[in-house]
Amino acid sequence: MNPDRFLNEYRIKTKISRLNPSTYKEFLNYPTATVSDAMRGRNTMSQDIKSVWSPVPHLVGSAVTVSASLGDELLILKAIEMAEPGDVIVVAGNAKPYTAYWGGIMSTMAKARGIKGLVTDGMIRDLSECEQLQFPIWATGVTPIGPKTDVPPGELNLPISIGQVIVHPGDLVVADSDGVVVVPQHMLEDISKAVKARLKIEDEWIKEIHATDQMILKDKIDDLLSKRTVTYLD
């Protein structure tokens, strides 16, 4: 081996801790907005990562993480091979996304293996094919420029940074039309309880709105304004 080459051009972790699907089945009914609220806005990916086709499906699954060089599909293909049914592949490119990481053939392979979807801060191509396959994808955009192969360095199933969120392998990925939220494994139970409590409050608000035809939280808003210097203009 050439001694000038990187000591670790690629790193692959072959075993990760996954959540049992029975532990997160309730998240199938949780909107990302409410999950984000329960986490006080943390672990919510930046708004440039969004669904590339509609109607947008609701995505929930354990993260298989990839850190890839610009447009390098090598470890993404390996991730498709190593992923288990129900997983979500999460790809961080850490570079300007002008080359696709993913396309129709990869969507076909992933769907055949039971992979639930893709989340990436890069771009994809073959949009119509991906849509016809109904394979859920959240990405920053679409381009016809194809991916490259074997452009180290890269990592598979190690922590990544994507969309201003740190994602560990096995974390729960929740995505819908509002965006993508990541729930760390150790927080799953607490966040689920918080989401239930939030949804209960919102349901009570909706009932109050329909019953009274009045503004909710009016007293709280007026109290907060009373503590500020406010000029009301006619």
Side-chain angles (χ1 to χ4, degrees), residues 18 21 24 59-63 83-88 113-117:
R18 288 177 172 84
Y24 61 76
L59 179 70
V60 179
S62 294
E84 296 182 0
D87 285 345
V88 176
R113 296 184 59 82
I115 296 168
K116 290 298 183 181

Side-chain angles (χ1 to χ4, degrees), residues 80-144:
I80 295 173
E81 175 194 333
M82 293 176 58
E84 296 182 0
D87 285 345
V88 176
I89 295 179
V90 185
V91 181
N94 301 312
K96 293 182 179 179
Y98 58 79
T99 302
Y101 280 111
W102 190 278
I105 297 297
M106 298 169 88
S107 290
T108 302
M109 290 190 295
K111 185 166 185 177
R113 296 184 59 82
I115 296 168
K116 290 298 183 181
L118 168 75
V119 174
T120 179
D121 59 2
M123 304 185 86
I124 66 108
R125 68 176 189 168
D126 305 324
L127 177 59
S128 61
E129 188 175 348
C130 296
E131 185 173 3
Q132 288 173 9
L133 287 164
Q134 295 290 286
F135 185 77
I137 297 174
W138 279 255
T140 55
V142 180
T143 177

